[in-house]
């Protein structure tokens, strides 16, 4: 997949990955029928876990307390996929929303990937403000090229915090957005840390040729 071919769908995928309202529109995933498996995925032996065939990454229905809400393939060969997770916060209707994308992009650094997605990610919140951005380190994988930005914004007149992280694994590029109401930041960051620890146990592998 070339850089040119990736640029056009990136903005559309950002809508799926960065918009908190999408999680509320989707019913919790109780299982995945064979007919519902997107291109580029297979179903693991447990009958619910989706496996990205090209990279080997596994996406369980329940992941560190988060529920898989939506999965999409933007390339029939599996070289661009996205999966969403969310979980409730507190006792009300607040939720933390996480979106993960895996894409093959030729010769693109984590910084350049981030720059392509930054404005699109910010555009889904009112009065978005950049709090910080710069290179970041991935625990246990500190040699990886990674870049992260944190932001604040508003949705439905409620302050939100959100982030965009991009990682260059070599053949694969990874992207994750996370968003949650600011008044639930302490709990959300704790839950997000648990999810990230589980995600870091995996690393995408180049497809077999």
């Amino acid at each position: 997949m070339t850089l040119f071919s990736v640029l056009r769908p990136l903005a559309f995928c950002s809508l799926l990955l960065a918009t908190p309202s999408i999680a509320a529109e989707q019913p919790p995933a109780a299982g995945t029928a064979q007919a519902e498996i997107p291109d580029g995925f297979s179903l693991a032996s447990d009958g619910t876990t989706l496996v990205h065939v090209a990279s080997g990454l596994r996406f369980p229905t329940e992941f560190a307390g988060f529920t898989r809400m939506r999965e999409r393939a933007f390339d029939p060969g599996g070289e661009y996929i996205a999966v969403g997770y969310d979980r409730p916060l507190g006792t009300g209707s607040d939720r933390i929303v996480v979106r993960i994308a895996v894409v093959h992009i030729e010769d693109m650094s984590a910084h350049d990937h981030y720059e392509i997605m930054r404005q699109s990610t910010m555009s889904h919140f009112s009065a978005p403000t950049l709090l910080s951005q710069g290179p970041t380190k991935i625990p246990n994988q500190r040699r990886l090229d990674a870049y992260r930005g944190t932001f604040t914004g508003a949705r439905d007149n409620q302050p939100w915090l959100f982030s965009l992280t991009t990682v260059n694994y070599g053949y694969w590029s990874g992207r994750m957005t996370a968003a949650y109401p600011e008044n639930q930041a302490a709990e959300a960051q704790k839950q997000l840390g648990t999810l990230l620890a589980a995600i870091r146990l995996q690393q995408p592998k180049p497809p077999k040729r």
Side-chain angles (χ1 to χ4, degrees), residues 79-92:
E79 296 212 328
Y80 189 5
I81 58 98
V83 179
Y85 283 92
D86 85 346
R87 70 172 295 164
L89 292 171
T91 58

Side-chain angles (χ1 to χ4, degrees), residues 63-64 139-141 191-202:
F63 202 178
N140 304 322
Q141 301 178 46
Q191 303 300 347
L192 186 59
T194 301
L195 177 65
L196 290 174
I199 291 173
R200 289 169 187 149
L201 295 177
Q202 303 188 70

Side-chain angles (χ1 to χ4, degrees), residues 2 16 54-55 77 82 84 86-88 91 100-101 106 109 123 142 156 162 187 197 205 209:
T2 66
L16 297 177
S55 71
D86 85 346
R87 70 172 295 164
T91 58
I100 301 165
E106 295 178 2
S109 67
S123 71
R142 300 183 65 83
D156 298 327
F162 59 104
E187 181 183 352
K205 301 176 181 179
R209 299 299 185 186

Side-chain angles (χ1 to χ4, degrees), residues 13 16-17 41 50 52 58-60 63 67-74 81-85 98-102 175-177:
C13 185
L16 297 177
L17 301 183
F41 289 92
L50 287 174
H52 180 218
R58 298 171 64 88
F59 299 97
F63 202 178
T67 300
R68 193 181 70 225
M69 302 300 294
R70 187 181 181 120
E71 53 277 339
R72 292 288 301 272
F74 296 92
I81 58 98
V83 179
Y85 283 92
V98 176
R99 299 289 181 260
I100 301 165
V102 180
R175 180 172 70 253
M176 188 183 80
T177 61

Side-chain angles (χ1 to χ4, degrees), residues 169-193:
Y169 290 98
Y171 184 90
W172 297 108
S173 291
R175 180 172 70 253
M176 188 183 80
T177 61
Y180 47 84
E182 186 174 345
N183 62 3
Q184 298 281 3
E187 181 183 352
Q189 290 168 6
K190 177 181 178 181
Q191 303 300 347
L192 186 59

Side-chain angles (χ1 to χ4, degrees), residues 84-161:
Y85 283 92
D86 85 346
R87 70 172 295 164
L89 292 171
T91 58
S93 60
D94 290 336
R95 309 186 76 81
I96 178 172
V97 183
V98 176
R99 299 289 181 260
I100 301 165
V102 180
V103 57
H104 171 52
I105 313 175
E106 295 178 2
D107 301 323
M108 181 178 288
S109 67
H111 171 265
D112 290 346
H113 189 177
Y114 170 87
E115 286 296 327
I116 288 174
M117 296 305 303
R118 179 168 59 91
Q119 289 299 327
S120 183
T121 300
M122 295 176 70
S123 71
H124 300 294
F125 295 85
S126 300
T129 301
L130 174 66
L131 298 178
S132 66
Q133 65 179 10
T136 189
K137 296 295 184 182
I138 306 298
N140 304 322
Q141 301 178 46
R142 300 183 65 83
R143 293 184 179 181
L144 288 175
D145 172 27
Y147 207 88
R148 184 172 187 264
T150 60
F151 313 84
T152 184
R155 191 162 191 85
D156 298 327
N157 297 316
Q158 183 180 17
W160 280 67
L161 297 175

